Structure formats: structure tokens, C-alpha cells
Amino acid sequence: MTRRFAPLLLAAATLAAGASLAKGASADETQSEAPSTIAVLCAPGDRFGLRVIAEIESLGFRAELLDPAAAPASRASLEASARAVGAIAAIRAVPTERGVEVWITDRVTGKTVLREMVDDGGTPDRDAALALRAVELLRASLLEVALPAPPPGEVPATPEIREKMRVPSPAAPPPPAERASPALRLSLAPGVLLSPGGFGAAVDIHLGLAWMPSEHVGAIGFAAIPLTSPRIERPQGSADLSVLLAGGGARFLLAARASPWAASADLGLAAVSLWSTGVASAGFRASGSAAVAVSPFASFGLSFALTPTFRLHAAVLASGVLQGVSVQFAQHETATWGKPFILSSAGIELGLF
């Protein structure tokens, strides 16, 4: 009978031993998982100590009240008290003539702080004011766990401590406001005016004004003032032709107004003023003439912004005069101009506002 129940007794003993070991391990684990406990050394009923406990618990920590009895106020005794209850820190206040002398040991950062807090008599609740200052002193010490390289301590900072002492990252400064691209722009560019038919190219100065109230659509005006006059020479004499252009229309931007690179297309009407002067050889008679015509035009441009108000700009304008201009020598047509003509320019754009 004894032999039959021996295995059962052995199994029960093993289970009991296992349960005891598990209970001990659980107790040890509970002891090690109480990193948020802060020991407060004060006599039972001490008003200052009770206020310190209230402030600690308001921060979300657990407070353990310990009676210091006759133990001297020292770093060694304070650290021993914290270790005895598995606390991360311990606080003790010793009354002085002017206030209290506060001892704080922080096992997470490995620091012990001694600070005398003077009662200036300016607050009605002396104990509450001094207790708040003492707990803030402890909190300032624990905040060092948020540093990139926190000081080594006797116990590691747990995730709970790191979360409570986490310092929010400073908000990134807002990006500088981008300066708005000016809506009114003045362009200045040398240009070359060319028309097939016998006359050479003419150099002019191109002045333009663009108003872009929206990002993609606006209005333009321009004038091309001649600087040179192409000449034709024949045995009968010579003829010079001067061309003045002025016009306006609509501009369409293919990119946002403030884009570094911006392509544009202009459509409108141009007034073409032409006048010619002739010099006749011996035996011939010279005459001059002038004419004004209106013609549609199309212009294509490309600009690049060096700054919000300063851009480089190049454009090509194409148009044509229906009747054109004819130059005759001895009643024979020698050259024509205007069917079609092209004005190319490259220069700068300045933003006005």
C-alpha cells in the first residue's frame, strides 16, 4: 500500500515545491517591478512628509513611508532605505532654523542632492510650498534620463520612468514664408527684327510690361524701338527701312508664376509703323513713304528666376503684314518686308510689385 502511493506523494511534493518556487519568483519579480516607488523618510504624522507623499502621488509615482527613527541623515542611510523597499529614490527632510534641509538620493541617475529650503514666510501653507519644491527637485534629477547620454545609476530607468520624464521635442520653427512672385513685371531686352524679302536684320530694344493677376493668365503690352535701319543698295541708289512695333494681348503661363522655369505664350494684335527713306544716284529721283498696319501676333517665351524679382527672359514673336512693304528701283520691285516677320529678344525681367 505504501509502495503504491509513494509515486503520488513524490509528485505532490514536487508540485508543492514548484508552486513555492513560483511564488518566490513572483515575489522577486514584484519586488523588481516596483521601480516607480519613492521612499519618504519622516516620522508618522509629520505634516511635511505627508505633503511630500501627496505631491509624489500626484505625479503618478508610488510613495513608501518609512520611519527614520534615530538614523542619521546621510547618503549611505538614505540609499540603504531606498534599497530596502526597492525604491528608485528616497527623500528625507531635516528641520533647520530657517526651513528644512532636504536630502534626495536618486538611484536611477546615481546622484544625491542636499538642498536647504528657506521658509520666507510669504506663503500661508509652509509645508505645502516646501514639499512642492522638494518634489520638483527630485523631478529635475529624474529628468536627466531623457538626455541622449544619461548618467549611469544603480538601477536602470524603466519605460514607465522614461515616459513620465519624457521631454517633448521642441517644435520645429515654421519654414520662412516664401516671397510672393510680383504680379507686375517690366522687361528690357535687345532684339533682332528679321523679315525675308531682301532687307537685312534690324537691331531694336524691346520693352515689355506683363500683368499677371492669376497664376496662369494675364495681360501684356510691348514696344520694339528700332536702333538700326536695314539698307538696300542698287546702282540706282539706296533705301533705308525703319520699323516700330507696339502691341498688346493676353499671356498664358504654362507653369506657376513663381516657378524657377516658366514658359509662356502670348497672343494679341500689333501695330506696325514703317517708314522708308531713299537716296538716288545721278539721273534718278528718290522718294520716301510711310505706312501703318495692324497684324495679329503670337509670341513664345521662356524665363528663369535668379531671385523672386529678377528673371532672365527670352522670347520669339512671329507676325505678318498682309500687304507688306515693297521697295522699287526704276519701277522694278527690289525688296519686300513684312510677309512674315520675326522678332527675337533676350534680356531681363524686373518684378515691380
Side-chain angles (χ1 to χ4, degrees):
M1 190 71 174
T2 302
R3 291 182 179 179
R4 180 178 300 178
F5 287 101
L8 295 177
L9 293 174
L10 180 60
T14 302
L15 290 174
S20 177
L21 290 175
K23 184 176 180 181
S26 177
D28 292 341
E29 185 177 359
T30 302
Q31 176 93 3
S32 62
E33 288 183 356
S36 298
T37 300
I38 297 175
V40 179
L41 281 72
C42 66
D46 181 75
R47 290 186 58 193
F48 177 79
L50 295 178
R51 293 297 306 187
V52 169
I53 291 174
E55 294 293 341
I56 289 174
E57 291 177 345
S58 69
L59 292 178
F61 295 109
R62 291 184 293 276
E64 183 77 19
L65 181 61
L66 300 178
D67 188 355
S74 65
R75 176 173 182 171
S77 65
L78 206 59
E79 290 178 349
S81 299
R83 293 191 194 98
V85 294
I88 62 168
I91 298 179
R92 182 176 181 180
V94 179
T96 63
E97 294 181 357
R98 298 188 301 170
V100 292
E101 190 177 74
V102 177
W103 288 73
I104 296 176
T105 184
D106 180 358
R107 300 176 65 204
V108 176
T109 61
K111 294 194 313 179
T112 295
V113 180
L114 171 62
R115 183 73 54 83
E116 184 179 12
M117 297 183 178
V118 179
D119 177 23
D120 54 8
T123 56
D125 193 340
R126 167 184 176 275
D127 294 327
L130 295 178
L132 179 61
R133 291 166 59 187
V135 173
E136 285 300 319
L137 188 62
L138 171 62
R139 189 172 183 272
S141 177
L142 289 173
L143 278 174
E144 294 188 15
V145 302
L147 296 175
E154 183 181 347
V155 295
T158 63
E160 182 184 8
I161 296 297
R162 294 186 183 278
E163 179 62 26
K164 291 181 181 297
M165 297 295 111
R166 184 170 59 90
V167 178
S169 302
E178 294 186 1
R179 185 176 179 182
S181 178
L184 184 64
R185 289 185 171 274
L186 175 67
S187 61
L188 176 66
V192 176
L193 183 63
L194 180 64
S195 176
F199 283 99
V203 177
D204 63 10
I205 186 73
H206 184 279
L207 300 174
L209 195 64
W211 170 247
M212 299 297 299
S214 69
E215 288 292 325
H216 299 285
V217 181
I220 58 103
F222 76 93
I225 303 171
L227 299 179
T228 64
S229 299
R231 171 175 291 187
I232 290 181
E233 294 185 349
R234 294 293 185 268
Q236 298 87 349
S238 63
D240 295 327
L241 179 66
S242 296
V243 182
L244 173 65
L245 300 178
R251 169 162 291 181
F252 304 94
L253 283 181
L254 306 183
R257 195 175 65 194
S259 299
W261 289 95
S264 61
D266 303 337
L267 299 174
L269 293 175
V272 186
S273 177
L274 307 103
W275 65 96
S276 64
T277 58
V279 178
S281 300
F284 294 91
R285 183 168 55 88
S287 64
S289 62
V292 177
V294 176
S295 64
F297 73 87
S299 176
F300 301 92
L302 182 66
S303 65
F304 174 71
L306 297 177
T307 69
T309 58
F310 185 82
R311 302 178 76 96
L312 300 178
H313 181 79
V316 176
L317 181 148
S319 183
V321 180
L322 295 180
Q323 293 182 351
V325 174
S326 175
V327 177
Q328 296 182 354
F329 286 92
Q331 297 183 351
H332 293 285
E333 187 178 88
T334 302
T336 60
W337 190 96
K339 298 189 296 186
F341 65 87
I342 295 175
L343 172 63
S344 61
S345 61
I348 60 173
E349 273 190 357
L350 298 177
L352 301 181
F353 60 85

